[in-house]
Amino acid sequence: MRRAAVISLVILCLTAPLTAGCGSGNSDTPPPAAPAVRVKPAFDTKRARTDRGLVVRARGGRLGEVRAHAAGVPVPGRLDASGTVWRSDWALKPGAEYTVTARAAGPGGPPAVARGRFRTRVPGHAFGVASAVPLPGETVGVGMPIILDFDTPVRDRVAVERSLQVTSEVPVEGAWRWIGDTRAVYRTRTHWAPRQRVTVTAHLSGVRAAPGVYGTADRTFMFTVGRDQSSVVDARTHQMVVTRDGAVVRRMAISAGMGTTREYTTTSGVHLTMDKGDPVRMVSPGREKGEPGYYDKLIDHAVRISDSGEYVHALNNVWAQGRANVSHGCINARPDQAAWFYASSRRGDPVTITGTDRELEWDNGWGFWQLPWEEWLLGSALNGPAATPLSQR
C-alpha cells in the first residue's frame, strides 16, 4: 500500500504544472520589468527644442499621473489610448523653465516616479501674426472667412497650420488654405450657424516656421457670427433679393455692368461683402484723365464685394435700374435702397450674382466659396503630399 501511494505522487507531479512544491523552480518566462519613465526633453537640458513639445513615456507599465508647468501655468496635454505616452498639445514656450512630475505603475515592481526640470532655448529670429480678419469682437456674416497674415514667410506650413485652432459654439467642418507664404485662410465647408461666438487661437509660441525662426507668443481673438443675411442678384432680370434668416426682407431693382469690356462686366459667382464706405472714391481703371470713358467720382453707400472694383452702391439712375445694365461693373441701386443695404450689411454676408459671362475668380477678394470643398482642401498643408513638419523630417 505504501508503494502505491508513492507512485501516485510521482505521476501527479509529472502531469501537473510546475509549482513551488512539484517543480524545479526554473522558468523560461522572465519576470516583468520594473516600470520606468522617460521624459523628453531630458531633465537638466539648458537649451531644449521647443517645436517638438513635451513627451513622457512609460516602459513596463502605464502612466498614472503627468504634471507639467511653465512659470506656474499647467501645460495642456493628453494620454494616448495605450496609457503609455503623454504629449503636450502644443509646442513649448521659448526661454522658459519647465517642471515635470510623472508616475508609472506596472506589475514588475514599485511605481516609478520622475521629477525634474529643463529650460527651452531662446530663438534667434521670431515670427508672429501681423494681421487678422475678422477683427476681435467683430460681428460678421455667415460666410465670413478667417484670414491670418504672418510677418515672415512660412516654410514649415504643416507645423504652423497644426498650431491654428478654431473653436465654434456650434460645431462645423472647416479647413485652412495657404495663399502664398505669408497668408492662411480658414473657410468652413458650409456657412457658419448664425448667432454664435467663434474663438481663434494661433498657438505659435515655440513653433518653427523656418530654420532659426520660431514663434514667441500665442495669439487669440474672438468674433461673433450674427444673423443669416444673404443676397441674390440676377443681372438678366436686373433684380436683387435680400433674405434674412430665410425670409425675404428687401427686393431691389438694380443695374449691373454694361459688359462692353471685361472690366465693365460684373462677375458671376458667390461674393462676400468685404468692407464699405460712404462715400467711396471710384476711378476708371486703365484710363487717364481726358481719355474716353474716364471717370473720378465719389459714390455713396458703397459695399465692396471683390478686389476688382465691384460694389453694391447708390446711384440715382432710376431709369436703368430694373431695366438695363449700364454700370461700369458694379451693382447700383436706388439711393434709399442702397442706403438700407449699406446699413444692414456686415462683412462676410454672401452676395451671389448670376447672369453674366464673367466668372468670379476664387482669389478675387473673398471669392473663396467659388472653390468646391474638395478643391479647397488641396490648399491645406495637412492634406498635401508633404504633411510632415520640416522640424520632424
Side-chain angles (χ1 to χ4, degrees):
M1 293 298 291
R2 181 176 298 175
R3 183 177 181 184
V6 172
I7 293 174
S8 298
L9 179 60
V10 172
I11 293 173
L12 179 61
C13 285
L14 289 175
T15 58
L18 292 177
T19 65
C22 294
S24 64
N26 295 325
S27 172
D28 293 333
T29 303
V37 177
R38 182 185 178 190
V39 177
K40 193 172 182 179
F43 291 148
D44 299 324
T45 301
K46 303 300 182 184
R47 299 185 68 254
R49 290 186 61 160
T50 58
D51 51 314
R52 295 180 177 177
L54 171 63
V55 182
V56 181
R57 299 179 185 272
R59 184 183 62 190
R62 294 168 61 91
L63 290 168
E65 178 190 24
V66 176
R67 288 185 290 117
H69 294 79
V73 178
V75 177
R78 63 197 66 200
L79 199 60
D80 71 352
S82 70
T84 61
V85 181
W86 183 96
R87 298 179 185 275
S88 60
D89 289 340
W90 312 107
L92 305 178
K93 297 181 182 299
E97 183 174 87
Y98 282 78
T99 60
V100 181
T101 299
R103 302 175 188 274
V113 180
R115 290 190 183 92
R117 63 189 63 213
F118 60 86
R119 178 171 286 277
T120 54
R121 66 181 65 175
V122 176
H125 300 281
F127 90 105
V129 175
S131 64
V133 173
L135 297 174
E138 183 177 358
T139 299
V140 301
V142 295
M144 188 70 189
I146 300 168
I147 304 173
L148 298 181
D149 288 310
F150 301 100
D151 58 14
T152 299
V154 175
R155 282 191 56 194
D156 197 338
R157 296 181 182 181
V158 173
V160 172
E161 188 174 328
R162 282 180 176 166
S163 75
L164 306 179
Q165 182 182 30
V166 179
T167 306
S168 56
E169 292 178 332
V170 180
V172 66
E173 184 179 0
W176 294 91
R177 182 183 181 93
W178 288 87
I179 303 177
D181 291 333
T182 59
R183 171 169 287 190
V185 179
Y186 183 90
R187 202 205 89 184
T188 50
R189 183 170 188 171
T190 58
H191 288 165
W192 299 101
R195 299 177 177 85
Q196 63 163 321
R197 288 181 299 179
V198 179
T199 302
V200 182
T201 302
H203 298 272
L204 297 179
S205 185
V207 173
R208 182 174 183 255
V213 181
Y214 292 80
T216 56
D218 297 340
R219 173 79 173 267
T220 298
F221 63 94
M222 185 177 65
F223 63 91
T224 300
V225 182
R227 78 289 176 271
D228 182 355
Q229 178 170 302
S230 61
S231 304
V232 175
V233 176
D234 190 333
R236 290 164 297 194
T237 63
H238 320 294
Q239 297 294 320
M240 176 173 174
V241 179
V242 184
T243 62
R244 186 177 299 156
D245 296 325
V248 175
V249 292
R250 188 63 58 105
R251 297 181 186 275
M252 302 164 56
I254 59 91
S255 180
M258 63 182 72
T260 53
T261 61
R262 176 175 173 79
E263 65 266 30
Y264 289 168
T265 302
T266 305
T267 57
S268 287
V270 183
H271 306 66
L272 295 176
T273 53
M274 302 174 63
D275 56 43
K276 54 187 179 181
D278 182 31
V280 168
R281 184 185 179 191
M282 298 188 184
V283 181
S284 53
R287 289 169 173 79
E288 299 294 334
K289 188 174 182 179
E291 293 181 352
Y294 173 83
Y295 61 87
D296 185 345
K297 299 179 179 180
L298 292 177
I299 302 297
D300 296 334
H301 297 115
V303 180
R304 184 160 68 101
I305 58 173
S306 78
D307 275 347
S308 55
E310 293 171 295
Y311 289 78
V312 177
H313 65 73
L315 196 64
N316 194 21
N317 62 340
V318 179
W319 63 269
Q321 292 158 1
R323 297 178 180 85
N325 294 324
V326 298
S327 84
H328 295 108
C330 293
I331 303 295
N332 62 62
R334 204 173 66 204
D336 62 315
Q337 291 196 329
W340 174 88
F341 184 76
Y342 179 94
S344 67
S345 292
R346 297 186 183 280
R347 293 205 296 175
D349 288 340
V351 178
T352 302
I353 299 175
T354 62
T356 76
D357 60 4
R358 179 184 174 187
E359 185 176 0
L360 175 69
E361 302 88 353
W362 74 269
D363 55 353
N364 182 353
W366 296 348
F368 308 129
W369 291 95
Q370 288 291 92
L371 287 183
W373 180 245
E374 293 72 19
E375 191 172 346
W376 179 264
L377 290 176
L378 296 178
S380 165
L382 300 181
N383 292 287
T388 300
L390 292 175
S391 57
Q392 296 182 16
R393 294 177 192 172

